């Protein structure tokens, strides 16, 4: 999930805040200031009210982060690489590079998040009891966090994909059937049912006069439906690509640009050839970098003749390369991470031999699907 601010790393895992998080953070603070804190502790007013509200909101999102960290740390301990964690409007998201290889791994990774939230809820309930005679504002915040974590843990146990409960359901169905795709289809169907019920509940609340609460349930239901469809498609793709390497999908017939040539010569070279998403640039037989048609077209035409491909390539962002024996699933994930359509593929000496192109993978998947139909 791109578009956000990188906060840093926790246990080596990158933490990002998505832009949409600002909206929900402001909404949580406002609800605390206008409703929760005045109801539970009328003595808090003015700046103190806002200060406690901001502290409570930050601690709640720290709880969401703890939930996602539990997922990521257990996944990493069980051999699943983790790209990072993103906090966004509807909670958090742990970006795992691949799915679990066995049902028990899926079950462990899925359960640890809700269990962490429920454990935090229990600890915060004890903190509430201890703080009652000491500080009413702090006790009110502790109770809010205990309730929030309990709600977070219980909601995530709903057996609808891609919620944690849906992943638990998939793990159990996978263990019983031995078929990951069939288990995923079951979990996606339950996810649709859960999403539909949330939308219906939201519509009923909206009709009953609880407009904001109803719209919130509709938004969550819509998100769950979309996420269930996306996760189902992703699992189907990963299942199809399992065991395949980059070599299966390489486009061998590509245009390679010479670093010593002028930009003008490069433009003439690609103008008469079939288009490709990326043009590797070589210097003395080795890969220097890559350019796109966009890079060439948006460079001032009056400077094409006097500028070398070498100079233009070094101004761009360096792209990683892939090898022929690289795992296809992880390589497709790298394209997603970089928001790229293709990456250069090199041999053992660093010489470019082709491109790993997203469109080639999609064509292969479509052909496989049509042959299986």
């Amino acid at each position: 999930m791109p578009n956000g601010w990188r906060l840093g790393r926790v246990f080596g895992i990158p933490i990002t805040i998505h832009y949409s998080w600002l909206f929900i953070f402001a909404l949580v603070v406002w609800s605390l200031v206008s409703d929760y804190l005045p109801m539970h502790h009328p003595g808090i007013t003015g700046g103190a009210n806002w200060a406690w509200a901001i502290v409570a909101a930050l601690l709640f999102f720290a709880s969401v982060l703890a939930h996602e960290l539990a997922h990521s740390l257990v996944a990493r301990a069980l051999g699943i690489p983790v790209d990072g964690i993103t906090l966004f409007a509807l909670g958090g998201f742990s970006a795992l590079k691949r799915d679990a290889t066995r049902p028990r791994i899926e079950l462990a990774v899925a359960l640890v998040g809700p269990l962490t939230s429920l454990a935090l809820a229990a600890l915060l309930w004890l903190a509430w009891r201890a703080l009652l005679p000491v500080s009413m504002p702090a006790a009110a915040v502790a109770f809010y966090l205990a309730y929030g974590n309990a709600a977070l843990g219980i909601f995530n146990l709903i057996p609808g994909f891609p919620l944690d409960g849906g992943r638990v359901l998939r793990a159990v169905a996978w263990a019983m059937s031995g078929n990951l795709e069939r288990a995923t289809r079951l979990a996606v169907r339950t996810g649709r049912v859960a999403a539909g019920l949330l939308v219906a509940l939201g519509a009923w609340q909206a009709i009953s006069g609880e407009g904001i609460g109803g719209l919130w349930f509709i938004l969550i239901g819509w998100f769950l439906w979309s996420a269930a469809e996306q996760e189902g498609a992703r699992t189907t793709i990963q299942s199809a690509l399992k065991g395949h390497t980059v070599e299966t999908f390489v486009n061998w017939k590509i245009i390679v640009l010479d670093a010593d040539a002028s930009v003008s010569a490069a433009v003439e070279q690609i103008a008469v050839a079939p288009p490709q998403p990326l043009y590797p640039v070589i210097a003395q037989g080795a890969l220097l970098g890559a350019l796109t048609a966009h890079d060439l077209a948006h460079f001032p035409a009056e400077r094409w003749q006097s500028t070398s491909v070498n100079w233009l390539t070094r101004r761009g962002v360096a792209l990683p390369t892939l090898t022929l024996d690289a795992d296809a699933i992880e390589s497709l994930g790298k394209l997603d991470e970089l928001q790229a359509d293709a990456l250069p593929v090199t041999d053992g000496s660093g010489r470019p031999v082709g491109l790993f192109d997203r469109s080639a993978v999609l064509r292969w998947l479509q052909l496989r699907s049509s042959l299986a139909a």
Side-chain angles (χ1 to χ4, degrees):
M1 182 176 290
N3 301 324
W5 297 282
R6 177 66 59 83
L7 293 184
R9 292 174 178 267
V10 179
F11 299 112
I13 299 172
I15 309 298
T16 300
I17 288 186
H18 189 262
Y19 300 140
S20 62
W21 178 85
L22 292 175
F23 167 75
I24 190 61
F25 179 77
L27 186 63
V28 169
V29 171
W30 175 252
S31 68
L32 285 163
V33 168
S34 61
D35 184 25
Y36 178 82
L37 287 174
M39 180 184 298
H40 287 78
H41 191 65
I44 306 177
T45 58
N49 195 21
W50 283 95
W52 281 108
I54 291 171
V55 168
L58 288 173
L59 289 175
F60 176 71
F61 283 103
S63 301
V64 175
L65 178 58
H67 178 111
E68 295 303 326
L69 273 171
H71 285 310
S72 294
L73 291 173
V74 170
R76 192 170 65 180
L78 294 175
I80 303 176
V82 179
D83 280 332
I85 294 172
T86 301
L87 298 180
F88 66 111
L90 297 178
F93 172 73
S94 295
L96 309 184
K97 284 192 175 182
R98 58 175 174 80
D99 282 335
T101 54
R102 284 178 285 180
R104 68 176 184 83
I105 294 177
E106 170 97 331
L107 184 64
V109 174
L111 275 178
V112 71
L115 291 178
T116 298
S117 294
L118 293 174
L120 283 173
L123 290 173
L124 287 161
W125 182 82
L126 293 174
W128 167 66
R129 295 293 300 270
L131 288 168
L132 275 173
V134 179
S135 171
M136 285 299 294
V141 169
F143 185 82
Y144 173 81
L145 294 172
Y147 177 84
N149 275 278
L152 181 64
I154 293 170
F155 177 77
N156 271 280
L157 286 173
I158 294 174
F161 212 56
L163 293 173
D164 298 330
R167 295 185 182 278
V168 170
L169 174 63
R170 182 171 74 163
V172 173
W174 182 9
M176 293 176 64
S177 67
N179 189 309
L180 176 58
E181 286 193 61
R182 188 183 306 165
T184 300
R185 286 195 295 270
L186 172 63
V188 168
R189 283 197 296 270
T190 62
R192 292 186 189 131
V193 171
L197 290 174
L198 285 171
V199 170
L201 175 62
W204 180 80
Q205 285 194 332
I207 293 171
S208 301
E210 299 180 31
I212 295 179
L215 289 175
W216 189 245
F217 276 114
I218 291 172
L219 178 62
I220 294 174
W222 171 80
F223 169 77
L224 287 180
W225 184 287
S226 301
E229 295 295 324
Q230 291 174 7
E231 284 291 310
R234 187 179 69 86
T235 300
T236 300
I237 289 172
Q238 289 199 355
S239 180
L241 295 179
K242 187 176 180 180
H244 289 277
T245 63
V246 163
E247 187 171 7
T248 303
F249 309 99
V250 168
N251 176 9
W252 304 94
K253 298 179 180 179
I254 61 170
I255 298 294
V256 177
L257 304 179
D258 186 351
D260 294 329
S262 66
V263 172
S264 178
V267 171
E268 291 178 4
Q269 185 180 359
I270 70 172
V272 296
Q276 60 191 60
L278 204 64
Y279 295 91
V281 177
I282 57 171
Q284 299 179 346
L287 182 69
L288 175 67
L291 295 173
T292 65
H294 180 274
D295 296 328
L296 296 168
H298 285 74
F299 189 70
E302 62 272 15
R303 297 177 58 189
W304 284 3
Q305 191 63 46
S306 60
T307 305
S308 70
V309 171
N310 186 337
W311 184 87
L312 188 59
T313 304
R314 293 184 183 278
R315 288 182 67 241
V317 178
L319 285 176
T321 61
L322 301 171
T323 58
L324 291 171
D325 60 351
D327 181 77
I329 296 173
E330 292 187 4
S331 299
L332 195 61
K334 188 167 289 186
L335 290 182
D336 293 336
E337 180 184 344
L338 297 169
Q339 298 181 13
D341 292 321
L343 283 175
V345 180
T346 60
D347 60 14
S349 64
R351 181 177 61 88
V353 295
L355 289 178
F356 179 70
D357 188 341
R358 185 192 302 275
S359 62
V361 178
L362 294 177
R363 286 195 300 271
W364 183 88
L365 290 168
Q366 290 169 354
L367 178 61
R368 182 180 182 272
S369 177
S370 63
L371 291 175

